[in-house]
Amino acid sequence: MSPDRLGAAAQTRGLGHGVPVGRARARRVRSPGGTEERVELAELGERVPGEAGTGRVPSAPGGTGQGGRPEAGSPAVSGWGAPARYEARSVTKSFNGAIVLDDVSVTLEPHEVHTLVGENGAGKSTLFKILSGLYTPDSGRLELGGETLGDLTPRSALGLGIYLVPQEPKLMAHLSAAENLYVGILPRRRVRLLVNWRQVHREAATYFERVGLQIDPATPAREMSIAQQQLLECARALVHRCRVILFDEPTSPLTTHETEILFGLMRQLRDAGLAIGFISHRLDEVLEVSDRVEVLRDGRLVASLRRGEATRDGLVSAMIGREIGVRTRVRRTSDVTERREVLRVESLTSEPIFRDVSFALESHEVVGVAGLVGSGRTEIAEAIFGLRAADSGRVAIDGRVLERRSPRACIEAGLVYLPEDRARHGIFSEVEITRNVTAGTIPRLPRRWGLIRQREEQELAAASAARTSVRMQSLEVAIATLSGGNQQRAMFSRWLLAEPRVAILDEPTRGVDIGAKDDIYDIISDLAASGLACLIISSELEELCLTCDRVLVVYEGAIVGELRGEEITAARLGELVVGGSSS
Amino acid sequence: MSAVAGSLTSRRTFLPTRALWARLVRLRELQLLLAMAVVVAVSAVLHPDFVSSSNVSFMLADSSVTATLAIGQTLVILGKGIDLSVAPILGIAAIVVGFPAQNHGLPLAVALVIVMGVGIVLGVGNGILVSWARIPPIITTLATLSVYGGLQFIIANGQEVVNIPNFYDTFGNSDLVPGVPWALLAAVGLALVVWLFLRQTNLGRSIYAVGNDADAAHRSGIPVQRIIFLTYVLCGFLAGIAGLIYLCHTGSADSTTGTDSNVELTSIAATLIGGTTLTGGRGGVIGSVLGAIFLSIALTAMVFARIPPIWEPAGVGGLILLAMVTDRHSGNLGSGGPRRVGRRH
């Protein structure tokens, strides 16, 4: 890297948004590649020109080659991504008359991880969506580096270097990983018109390497795991040279190991001078990564704490507005006399995902399944429930082997499955709560002359919803109007109606806030006490420690270990899920 | 553990060949060429006339109108839309240049410019309604199918084009070399340009992105509505050109040209048979052109086999269903199983 170019770059480093966005972006992308990248990061990380490649900044993508294009060092390019403070001033937003954000001001400083915490419905995601241009605030304004931004759209936000990594990664399923990374701004040939696919794949690979994503750039997005998709979203922010990256609850679908990778990346980006926004429900990780924590409650900012000032209890009480006790382990009485086997799985195999899975569940028992995303844990559950064809193996409920498994046959036999992806496989979002609750047991609903008796259906739903204390205004509103926690309770009440003997709960507390989480643990332990056998699949090792009598560990499609009682600790589980020895 | 390791290694050895095979079998273009070869071979054995240069030329020239329409239709369907109004766009284009051609010998080049303009204007109408007024595509184009159809009546004013200048007829009905008609070459040329556009430009790739997931595309900074607008304009543009090819090929045009033979449905059929999915984001124009040619060949083969023409619509329908079944089947090769729901891991 020639010093004069660095010098020029440093001189012209200013706030990039004076540059016409479209042009700057187009240029920037036609000249990606190693060398140029290094200039950028050196500036961001060291802020001293001329010392490129020496500091702690993340190393540039490997295969350089194309680096020194004529326009690579132009002012427009190097001004890009300069650190800038991003502020929301007195932002207010309401939906259908309900105020979601009420006069909220936050400031995201460069070189900081800025975290928002709060219960579901507190307005965290809404704020991030406003900051990234997905929503327009009713009033208030946004300022980047002291300049007020006009109407922001995701497109113009990206142009300014602001990107939101969403709670659920959204990629274009049939396009390759590389294309998803560059979508809309694929690097082009010198001809300036045609996409250079070789360059796309080569440079995508270097970006993937940088965020720790090990994947062939040609893989279609639909074949990527959630964790991989999330890392791809991060890489996309890098491709756009973002200086503000917002992470909306990125860790909820991730395992501990993947979370660590993501945090490593977040720290790297922060150290390189980016302003990082972060939302999480897991307070331990919030305390771990945040430089500043702000607490939202009911659309208002109620606390703002710096690193060191924030404590777990302090955050919790600020979030919910009251003190709560620390949750201790739910110990079930292991001396229930009437224990009998209710579920037996024998040599269940579905190549290439999992093989030879055997285990049994007894009544009154809560058994956990720990494993990384991609280890096959969800697929095993799907195969048991008949959602996925198995190559071989048997499943018996109450001693009776289910020959042709289908969700319906399983429900009839007393096995229910609460899917991991509530929005996609669980709720019927625009349908009333009543019909969401009774959806699993339609054949058994009370009828007269073959027609469902609506009043009785509603009574059934009301009774079942009361058992799991779903908080709602009415049974006749769309379930989408409920918070995540309450939707999950409604899902529980759906399956209670089926009077199951075995319940498979896949990530039962995903996307659920702290208060609601505790309630769900209570529901689970009540159900177990009443005799139900529960199989809990979870990425949160703490959760398994809190709730389970036994934990099965799945690694690369096989059960590799089992812990019981006091053996179950997050540390041991953490070792086993990545393939460590069980001794 | 050793058993597990064993199965892992065996998996790795077998996977590549299986994946390659699966990919080849899945290529719709290849499937279509194969199917065409079978139909042609069987028909040629039974009726040697089937492969005479005049018949081949007829079939291919006949398919060029459908092919051109299907190219535009593919663009729209890739963006998760649909355009039912291509029939009257074709019809209007045909009569708008048909009358001056018949009465004043309008030069072909001028006619081309006019049909492009007509197509673009009508396509812009669809585009505005879908992307700005946000009316669902099927409703929008069902409505404009009627509106444009009515416009065609008004423009035709009861007159018919029956006599076109010779050079129109030459373009529509003669061959570069025996068996390769000019009309088809035009369609193939357009297909190649659009293929390059779809494959090698950011705009083209954005159409795929929008069709895959409009929300995700929006978040990635793609101007979704502008892209959708563009697909309808391009579709109208191509339907206009198809109108000129139609005029040259048939030598006639009137107030119901296009709509009376339901060319909009034929173009959708060719697109679907060509492997583009109605759910958007998957497929391409080469398949659509092959689909159009295949349709033409298959229907001609039915005629040669002395199957009464009343069976023709049923034949088209059967081919669409066959294509869908093949989609289903080949889509499952190499994946986890027929009822795979959780595709996330």
Side-chain angles (χ1 to χ4, degrees):
Chain A
M1 178 53 41
S2 65
D4 52 294
R5 258 189 63 200
L6 276 171
Q11 268 174 21
T12 48
R13 172 159 53 84
L15 294 176
H17 52 261
V19 175
V21 168
R23 256 192 33 232
R25 226 167 56 149
R27 276 174 153 185
R28 180 167 42 98
V29 174
R30 274 189 227 108
S31 60
T35 339
E36 218 281 308
E37 196 71 25
R38 202 169 290 140
V39 178
E40 193 69 35
L41 281 166
E43 271 179 35
L44 290 175
E46 312 286 285
R47 312 177 99 184
V48 182
E51 286 183 18
T54 54
R56 65 208 149 116
V57 289
S59 65
T64 52
Q66 298 276 326
R69 291 280 179 80
E71 73 268 42
S74 68
V77 174
S78 47
W80 252 87
R85 167 188 296 170
Y86 190 29
E87 290 175 87
R89 296 248 173 129
S90 307
V91 167
T92 299
K93 177 79 181 171
S94 57
F95 292 108
N96 306 324
I99 293 177
V100 180
L101 281 177
D102 188 4
D103 193 24
V104 171
S105 300
V106 292
T107 305
L108 276 67
E109 299 278 355
H111 297 283
E112 277 192 6
V113 174
H114 188 111
T115 306
L116 292 178
V117 296
E119 290 201 289
N120 278 352
K124 311 177 297 280
S125 293
T126 308
L127 182 58
F128 270 21
K129 282 179 177 161
I130 288 173
L131 289 173
S132 63
L134 278 164
Y135 291 163
T136 312
D138 299 338
S139 66
R141 63 180 195 278
L142 304 175
E143 291 181 6
L144 183 66
E147 278 186 36
T148 303
L149 306 179
D151 278 350
L152 205 60
T153 64
R155 184 175 171 79
S156 63
L158 257 181
L160 293 162
I162 302 160
Y163 189 66
L164 171 69
V165 176
Q167 189 169 1
E168 303 283 333
K170 283 201 95 165
L171 298 182
M172 283 137 286
H174 295 286
L175 303 186
S176 71
E179 192 170 353
N180 266 289
L181 180 66
Y182 280 110
V183 64
I185 52 158
L186 292 154
R188 290 177 284 187
R189 293 169 189 278
R190 271 173 221 275
V191 196
R192 289 295 168 85
L193 190 67
L194 301 182
V195 171
N196 186 342
W197 285 107
R198 270 175 54 199
Q199 191 186 348
V200 168
H201 281 97
R202 192 178 55 234
E203 282 170 11
T206 63
Y207 275 109
F208 290 162
E209 197 179 316
R210 227 169 95 199
V211 298
L213 176 57
Q214 286 156 1
I215 194 169
D216 177 0
T219 313
R222 65 174 185 277
E223 288 173 15
M224 294 167 66
S225 72
I226 287 222
Q228 290 174 326
Q229 295 186 22
Q230 206 128 49
L231 290 173
L232 191 143
E233 294 266 7
C234 299
R236 189 189 276 163
L238 296 185
V239 166
H240 285 267
R241 302 285 163 84
C242 284
R243 41 190 165 173
V244 179
I245 305 183
L246 308 166
F247 292 87
D248 185 356
E249 243 188 277
T251 57
S252 58
L254 301 189
T255 59
T256 317
H257 178 65
E258 290 158 351
T259 302
E260 282 310 317
I261 293 178
L262 183 69
F263 285 171
L265 183 65
M266 280 167 61
R267 289 195 187 97
Q268 245 180 28
L269 295 172
R270 174 195 64 190
D271 293 344
L274 277 75
I276 306 290
F278 178 56
I279 292 177
S280 175
H281 278 128
R282 301 182 187 170
L283 294 183
D284 296 328
E285 62 188 36
V286 167
L287 296 172
E288 184 189 336
V289 298
S290 313
D291 295 300
R292 189 195 295 250
V293 185
E294 272 168 317
V295 183
L296 277 172
R297 189 171 72 223
D298 300 331
R300 289 167 185 275
L301 212 57
V302 293
S304 182
L305 304 161
R306 296 204 60 84
R307 174 183 276 284
E309 296 170 355
T311 62
R312 190 187 166 87
D313 292 346
L315 288 179
V316 171
S317 55
M319 278 164 62
I320 62 176
R322 62 189 156 93
E323 302 283 333
I324 61 161
V326 177
R327 177 106 195 156
T328 51
R329 182 161 180 158
V330 190
R331 267 269 146 264
R332 238 163 317 288
T333 46
S334 52
D335 45 58
V336 177
T337 45
E338 289 289 302
R339 282 203 161 195
R340 60 201 168 75
E341 186 180 288
V342 288
L343 173 70
R344 170 165 287 277
V345 176
E346 280 175 5
S347 311
L348 200 63
T349 299
S350 174
E351 289 288 359
I353 300 157
F354 61 86
R355 61 208 65 83
D356 205 20
V357 170
S358 303
F359 64 90
L361 245 67
E362 292 180 342
S363 60
H364 301 90
E365 197 179 30
V366 179
V367 176
V369 177
L372 303 174
V373 171
S375 62
R377 38 175 218 187
T378 292
E379 289 83 352
I380 292 171
E382 286 176 353
I384 295 173
F385 195 55
L387 286 167
R388 168 184 292 276
D391 305 333
S392 60
R394 298 200 302 169
V395 173
I397 296 167
D398 264 343
R400 200 166 60 82
V401 175
L402 284 179
E403 290 300 344
R404 290 182 64 86
R405 287 191 304 282
S406 67
R408 178 134 177 206
C410 289
I411 294 167
E412 295 289 327
L415 169 71
V416 297
Y417 172 57
L418 190 78
E420 165 185 30
D421 194 338
R422 186 170 57 238
R424 237 169 62 197
H425 304 137
I427 60 170
F428 303 101
S429 60
E430 299 304 322
V431 175
E432 309 89 324
I433 298 166
T434 307
R435 265 154 287 280
N436 262 292
V437 170
T438 56
T441 44
I442 293 171
R444 295 189 221 166
L445 289 176
R447 281 157 212 262
R448 177 192 282 167
W449 302 321
L451 301 176
I452 294 171
R453 306 189 61 170
Q454 300 223 358
R455 186 172 301 161
E456 286 177 39
E457 178 187 9
Q458 202 170 45
E459 283 163 7
L460 271 175
S464 190
R467 274 182 77 185
T468 56
S469 39
V470 181
R471 277 193 292 265
M472 59 195 162
Q473 292 162 325
S474 148
L475 273 166
E476 296 304 305
V477 297
I479 195 165
T481 61
L482 297 183
S483 71
N486 277 313
Q487 289 180 5
Q488 193 68 313
R489 279 183 239 230
M491 287 297 96
F492 271 95
S493 53
R494 172 190 293 175
W495 293 128
L496 286 183
L497 270 185
E499 293 168 356
R501 292 175 211 285
V502 194
I504 302 176
L505 312 171
D506 199 348
E507 298 283 6
T509 60
R510 181 168 164 201
V512 159
D513 57 57
I514 287 205
K517 244 182 198 177
D518 270 2
D519 294 343
I520 285 174
Y521 297 152
D522 286 339
I523 293 174
I524 293 172
S525 72
D526 288 350
L527 291 176
S530 71
L532 185 73
C534 296
L535 189 71
I536 300 182
I537 301 171
S538 178
S539 296
E540 291 188 47
L541 301 180
E542 281 297 333
E543 177 168 300
L544 294 174
C545 297
L546 280 175
T547 53
C548 295
D549 304 313
R550 268 196 298 149
V551 178
L552 308 169
V553 181
V554 180
Y555 177 68
E556 292 196 344
I559 294 183
V560 295
E562 179 178 336
L563 299 179
R564 289 170 178 275
E566 296 303 326
E567 294 173 353
I568 310 172
T569 62
R572 292 287 298 283
L573 287 174
E575 240 169 65
L576 285 171
V577 294
V578 295
S581 76
S582 59
S583 56
Chain B
M1 276 316 277
S2 64
V4 172
S7 73
L8 273 174
T9 45
S10 67
R11 207 168 83 227
R12 285 193 184 124
T13 9
F14 283 120
L15 226 134
T17 42
R18 215 180 126 201
L20 187 70
W21 181 235
R23 257 171 65 187
L24 279 179
V25 173
R26 267 196 238 179
L27 261 188
R28 175 50 57 87
E29 288 82 355
L30 221 61
Q31 295 172 349
L32 275 174
L33 285 173
L34 214 72
M36 275 187 232
V38 170
V39 172
V40 169
V42 170
S43 303
V45 169
L46 299 176
H47 309 276
D49 274 357
F50 191 81
V51 285
S52 69
S53 73
S54 67
N55 188 52
V56 169
S57 167
F58 167 78
M59 290 189 298
L60 293 180
D62 216 32
S63 68
S64 56
V65 174
T66 314
T68 310
L69 284 177
I71 296 169
Q73 196 66 256
T74 306
L75 288 167
V76 173
I77 292 180
L78 279 178
K80 217 172 191 165
I82 195 155
D83 191 346
L84 297 174
S85 70
V86 290
I89 296 179
L90 173 144
I92 291 175
I95 55 171
V96 161
V97 295
F99 289 122
Q102 176 175 258
N103 302 334
H104 310 290
L106 182 77
L108 203 52
V110 179
L112 184 63
V113 173
I114 293 175
V115 294
M116 287 174 175
V118 167
I120 288 175
V121 168
L122 298 178
V124 163
N126 284 332
I128 288 175
L129 290 170
V130 174
S131 65
W132 279 316
R134 305 282 174 103
I135 303 169
I138 193 155
I139 297 173
T140 299
T141 56
L142 189 64
T144 53
L145 170 68
S146 288
V147 173
Y148 295 169
L151 202 62
Q152 188 180 349
F153 259 99
I154 294 164
I155 295 171
N157 196 21
Q159 311 270 303
E160 279 179 38
V161 178
V162 285
N163 189 11
I164 54 165
N166 277 339
F167 49 93
Y168 280 70
D169 185 57
T170 312
F171 168 70
N173 287 307
S174 67
D175 299 351
L176 167 68
V177 291
V180 184
W182 283 107
L184 182 77
L185 284 178
V188 169
L190 287 169
L192 288 177
V193 171
V194 174
W195 173 78
L196 200 69
F197 165 73
L198 279 177
R199 193 188 137 77
Q200 295 287 126
T201 68
N202 270 301
L203 222 60
R205 298 313 301 173
S206 298
I207 297 177
Y208 280 93
V210 168
N212 259 285
D213 192 328
D215 279 350
H218 178 59
R219 279 192 46 256
S220 321
I222 289 179
V224 174
Q225 298 307 326
R226 261 186 269 169
I227 298 288
I228 291 175
F229 177 77
L230 177 79
T231 61
Y232 286 94
V233 176
L234 288 177
C235 184
F237 171 83
L238 285 156
I241 296 178
L244 181 60
I245 298 177
Y246 180 93
L247 179 73
C248 295
H249 180 59
T250 64
S252 67
D254 59 26
S255 53
T256 56
T257 291
T259 39
D260 56 359
S261 49
N262 290 328
V263 293
E264 76 282 4
L265 298 183
T266 325
S267 73
I268 295 169
T271 306
L272 296 184
I273 290 171
T276 301
T277 58
L278 270 181
T279 46
R282 264 189 301 172
V285 285
I286 303 296
S288 303
V289 170
L290 289 175
I293 296 173
F294 178 60
L295 263 181
S296 177
I297 290 179
L299 295 179
T300 315
M302 279 173 68
V303 174
F304 270 74
R306 300 200 192 288
I307 298 171
I310 49 168
W311 284 93
E312 193 174 292
V316 175
L319 288 175
I320 295 177
L321 293 177
L322 186 68
M324 295 303 104
V325 171
T326 322
D327 264 353
R328 256 297 142 89
H329 182 70
S330 57
N332 272 331
L333 270 184
S335 76
R339 281 182 297 165
R340 192 165 173 188
V341 287
R343 304 220 61 172
R344 301 191 355 216
H345 305 317

